[in-house]
Amino acid sequence: MNEDSTREVSREEIRKDAFAIKPSSAPSADAMFRYAECDGCHVEEPIYGGYICNELNCYGFFHKECAEAPPEINHHPSHSEHPLLLTNDSQPKDSPCDCCGKNLLSPCYTCPTCEFKVDLICGMKPSPPAIENPMCHDHSLVFLKKREVDVPCEACKESIGGPSYSCLECHNVYFHLDCVHLPKEVNHPCHPSHPLKVVASESLADNQDAEKICCFCGVQPEKKVCYHCSVCNFTVCFGCIKNPPPLVIENTKTHKHPLRLLLSRIAFTCKVCGIEGYISKPYICVKCDFLVHGDCIGLPRVININRHDHQISFTQHLGRRGTQCGFCWRDVSQYYGAYFCSVCPNYTVHSLCAFNYNAWDGVDLEGIPERSEDISPFKVVGQIYSCTECCFVLHEKCANLPMMKRFLFDRAPYMLECDRSATYCKLCGMLCAGFRFPHDYMLRCDKCDFDLCLYCVTLPEKIWHMSDEHPLTLSCDQNGSGGIWCDVCEAELDPRKWFFYTCSECGVVLHVQCVLGDFSPIVTLGARSQLS
């Protein structure tokens, strides 16, 4: 595997964790790409120009036509008596579609009068009872609603477990409802030089030089057959044949000129995300020498992520701002697109890192002013804040806590609450009382392969304890030999596995829990005040 393909695999791993950026209220003519299962028709395939749901913690993704499904269908071929209404009501899994017989999933079309129900595809595109001149076969085909025995599809060679089209002249010739419209040979607009022919995937696997992944979506075809041009070594999956990427895209957020799909495969660096690509084809503006991944087109300009307290804005050219990503902590190139904070000049984030599903809340904030917090009315008394109306006293630091704060543990901001009862923190496990913001998480150093839980991250480096007159220091000895006993509980302590506290002058060794117990926040505050 060459260097370019290695970088592209890394990009594919990032893309699996990222949102396809498409506000649900925006037109879907842009070429946002995602290989996903549509929540409308429940078909998993490459989706270009789809819609995502903007509700927080909702991962709904739809084909354009599924998202724009009409709310009502009149005169359906299989049920012309009454109109069918689009509904999202959950249906029993054993409730079949009255057209194709497949298990019915939400959303679907139903008739409240007759209890007639069909899935989204059968509602919008009902299967005709017969096809006189199919593209996939030489004879007429008839629709079969159910099959008791699984048979292979003549086109894709995959098993058919439900409705199909069958040839009455040929013995055991069946087609999936989707595959019946796929021709044996196609003149594809994205490859006009030669026709693409259906070939078995095994024949490509036997040829070391043959292209085995789809030249558009960059995904290896899952079916046993695909479309291939043997002259150009050009392979396309069934999904991209049915729903090809657009040849031209106009998106002024990304570039001022129209962008055209480059039909030749080249190694390039995306101007938006700064990642080198080879597998997927770029969109290009020849006039400006601008190349971009298809799924980097249309990124929102202003967003919030849970790694930072301020809004971050997209720029095509980062320049001499911060050079370390606030999400993955890797270097950020100044010559490509990235997100930056206008308040914190050194805070930057890679374009793709900003859209990790654990970071972005899914909302485009362009044109929406950022909120400011007001902590009045407080009266300052020295370094203490006191309420002018009641006996409520706060440290200066506590008084200036924001009412909402973003944490990396969730995409939604947390509200500041006050609870006088002592409870254990759900994140670090420590006992706490007073102000709090509402999983188990680890913090990791990628360079050293070193992991710490949130409890250990918050341990004080130095602390006082009644067992010794000197301050104790937090230590860890991965090269130690063991055989050390805690001076409090007298149990064995393995310095190669666990942190411990020790005194450099007396040689005292103590378990962390023997020093802190359940009141580590209280002890830590006291220790810091004495050591400062």
Side-chain angles (χ1 to χ4, degrees):
M1 183 177 290
N2 59 33
E3 185 179 0
D4 288 324
S5 61
T6 302
R7 291 193 179 99
E8 185 67 19
V9 169
S10 175
R11 172 182 170 78
E12 292 302 315
E13 292 174 353
I14 296 175
R15 186 166 63 183
K16 288 178 182 178
D17 291 337
F19 278 104
I21 314 307
K22 179 64 61 184
S24 61
S25 58
S28 61
D30 302 334
M32 288 315 307
F33 160 77
R34 187 178 183 182
Y35 193 92
E37 177 181 323
C38 173
D39 286 293
C41 64
H42 301 281
V43 174
E44 185 175 3
E45 62 184 5
I47 299 177
Y48 298 95
Y51 289 91
I52 64 169
C53 179
N54 272 349
E55 291 294 325
L56 196 60
N57 295 325
C58 179
Y59 303 96
F61 200 93
F62 296 84
H63 289 104
K64 179 181 184 294
E65 59 182 6
C66 293
E68 298 174 354
E72 181 176 326
I73 295 178
N74 293 307
H75 309 293
H76 189 274
S78 299
H79 190 77
S80 58
E81 296 87 354
H82 310 106
L84 302 178
L85 304 180
L86 183 64
T87 176
N88 280 316
D89 294 340
S90 59
Q91 299 287 335
K93 290 186 177 181
D94 58 351
S95 178
C97 169
D98 286 323
C99 278
C100 67
K102 291 183 179 179
N103 289 338
L104 202 61
L105 299 173
S106 180
C108 61
Y109 284 98
T110 62
C111 174
T113 304
C114 306
E115 296 186 358
F116 179 87
K117 47 192 178 296
V118 292
D119 60 32
L120 205 64
I121 296 299
C122 290
M124 295 188 297
K125 298 179 179 179
S127 301
I131 301 177
E132 294 295 332
N133 298 300
M135 294 184 292
C136 61
H137 194 59
D138 297 331
H139 307 134
S140 299
L141 301 175
V142 295
F143 177 73
L144 300 180
K145 186 173 182 179
K146 291 184 180 180
R147 288 288 302 175
E148 296 182 358
V149 181
D150 288 348
V151 294
C153 172
E154 192 70 16
C156 71
K157 311 305 178 184
E158 298 290 337
S159 175
I160 301 177
S164 64
Y165 277 94
S166 174
C167 177
L168 298 181
E169 299 184 34
C170 303
H171 181 64
N172 288 336
V173 173
Y174 302 91
F175 295 88
H176 284 115
L177 302 188
D178 290 338
C179 295
V180 74
H181 301 293
L182 294 175
K184 298 178 181 179
E185 183 176 299
V186 60
N187 294 312
H188 201 275
C190 294
H191 188 71
S193 305
H194 310 99
L196 299 172
K197 299 181 179 180
V198 174
V199 299
S201 300
E202 294 180 356
S203 64
L204 299 181
D206 295 337
N207 186 345
Q208 183 178 359
D209 297 328
E211 187 58 75
K212 301 170 182 62
I213 65 170
C214 177
C215 292
F216 295 128
C217 66
V219 177
Q220 186 166 355
E222 294 183 355
K223 293 184 179 295
K224 296 180 180 179
V225 293
C226 59
Y227 282 90
H228 183 75
C229 173
S230 58
V231 178
C232 305
N233 194 17
F234 188 88
T235 301
V236 185
C237 68
F238 274 29
C240 289
I241 286 290
K242 293 187 297 181
N243 300 298
L247 295 176
V248 181
I249 302 170
E250 294 189 28
N251 189 297
T252 55
K253 282 188 177 182
T254 302
H255 194 65
K256 59 184 178 181
H257 302 133
L259 298 170
R260 297 184 178 276
L261 181 64
L262 187 62
L263 300 181
S264 300
R265 172 167 293 181
I266 62 169
F268 70 99
T269 301
C270 176
K271 292 291 186 180
V272 171
C273 69
I275 295 179
E276 294 187 28
Y278 176 75
I279 293 180
S280 57
K281 293 183 178 297
Y283 281 84
I284 184 173
C285 173
V286 179
K287 183 184 298 184
C288 304
D289 191 26
F290 183 89
L291 292 97
V292 58
H293 292 110
D295 51 344
C296 288
I297 296 176
L299 300 185
R301 297 188 179 185
V302 183
I303 62 172
N304 265 329
I305 62 172
N306 59 4
R307 265 62 171 181
H308 197 61
D309 290 331
H310 308 126
Q311 293 178 355
I312 56 176
S313 304
F314 178 75
T315 176
Q316 291 278 8
H317 186 271
L318 185 62
R320 294 187 175 276
R321 294 185 176 91
T323 58
Q324 192 177 50
C325 176
F327 182 89
C328 69
W329 304 107
R330 295 181 174 89
D331 292 339
V332 181
S333 173
Q334 62 175 312
Y335 301 108
Y336 300 99
Y339 282 83
F340 72 98
C341 176
S342 58
V343 180
C344 309
N346 292 324
Y347 188 84
T348 58
V349 181
H350 287 120
S351 298
L352 291 187
C353 289
F355 297 102
N356 186 285
Y357 76 97
N358 280 324
W360 183 44
D361 59 8
V363 181
D364 187 345
L365 299 174
E366 186 174 4
I368 301 176
E370 191 162 8
R371 292 183 55 181
S372 60
E373 300 292 342
D374 185 5
I375 61 171
S376 61
F378 286 111
K379 179 182 179 181
V380 181
V381 182
Q383 291 186 344
I384 302 296
Y385 280 71
S386 62
C387 179
T388 57
E389 299 180 5
C390 62
C391 299
F392 189 76
V393 181
L394 292 172
H395 292 105
E396 181 181 6
K397 181 179 180 180
C398 297
N400 285 280
L401 288 173
M403 296 303 296
M404 288 194 308
K405 186 171 178 60
R406 294 182 178 273
F407 294 97
L408 56 86
F409 315 112
D410 200 342
R411 296 184 294 125
Y414 286 86
M415 295 294 297
L416 183 66
E417 299 176 350
C418 182
D419 189 350
R420 300 298 180 88
S421 61
T423 57
Y424 287 93
C425 175
K426 293 180 179 179
L427 296 176
C428 68
M430 295 192 299
L431 190 67
C432 56
F435 283 170
R436 65 183 184 187
F437 291 95
H439 332 336
D440 296 329
Y441 289 89
M442 299 288 288
L443 299 182
R444 167 172 294 179
C445 175
D446 290 336
K447 294 182 179 179
C448 307
D449 193 22
F450 184 78
D451 300 336
L452 285 179
C453 68
L454 294 176
Y455 176 84
C456 291
V457 168
T458 58
L459 292 175
E461 294 183 19
K462 289 187 177 182
I463 195 170
W464 290 95
H465 192 265
M466 60 183 178
S467 63
D468 196 276
E469 59 181 342
H470 308 112
L472 303 176
T473 303
L474 185 66
S475 303
C476 180
D477 186 6
Q478 295 183 348
N479 297 321
S481 58
I484 300 176
W485 279 262
C486 174
D487 286 86
V488 172
C489 68
E490 298 183 351
E492 187 174 3
L493 187 155
D494 190 344
R496 298 168 298 181
K497 296 181 179 180
W498 313 110
F499 281 172
F500 59 92
Y501 281 100
T502 183
C503 175
S504 58
E505 299 188 29
C506 305
V508 171
V509 177
L510 301 159
H511 286 112
V512 170
Q513 288 298 326
C514 290
V515 175
L516 300 180
D518 287 335
F519 299 95
S520 53
I522 300 173
V523 178
T524 302
L525 288 173
R528 288 175 178 168
S529 63
Q530 294 182 53
L531 292 171
S532 60

